[in-house]
Amino acid sequence: MRLLIIIAVLFSLAACTAPSREFRGLPAQRISVEGSVFDVRVRGERAEAVRVNTQYAPRFGPIRARAGRAMALVSGCEGKEVLGDQALALGVLDCD
């Protein structure tokens, strides 16, 4: 029984860093910005940043800025907008 609980916890934790449907199948680039670590995936002028490190009670304001910076560094484009929450941020890029 204990083994089943451990396996269930491991599977739920693994799902936390899984990409959303739009970014599934794309390779992630891991990048650290000001203490936050993100897996960033880019598709065209959209990007996704999944925060993969633990942080105590992060607010989205600082995380949003870090996620936007991570998306810009990986894509080489300027970020226009970043939406989401502390764990998953979606960005619109300006690649012109």
Side-chain angles (χ1 to χ4, degrees):
M1 183 66 173
R2 192 178 248 173
L3 179 63
L4 290 176
I5 292 172
I6 292 171
I7 291 172
V9 168
L10 290 176
F11 275 117
S12 65
L13 289 175
C16 293
T17 61
S20 62
R21 184 180 314 176
E22 181 180 351
F23 296 92
R24 194 167 294 143
L26 294 176
Q29 183 172 341
R30 187 158 288 183
I31 188 164
S32 178
V33 177
E34 297 177 25
S36 295
V37 181
F38 299 96
D39 278 350
V40 178
R41 294 173 177 85
V42 177
R43 181 183 296 275
E45 291 194 350
R46 293 183 44 93
E48 173 184 78
V50 179
R51 190 172 55 81
V52 295
N53 67 319
T54 58
Q55 291 179 274
Y56 176 73
R59 292 175 298 131
F60 186 54
I63 298 295
R64 177 190 352 226
R66 293 174 194 161
R69 179 80 176 130
M71 291 178 209
L73 289 169
V74 169
S75 68
C77 302
E78 186 178 326
K80 288 171 49 175
E81 184 177 13
V82 178
L83 302 171
D85 60 29
Q86 296 90 332
L88 177 95
L90 298 171
V92 178
L93 304 171
D94 185 8
C95 297
D96 296 331

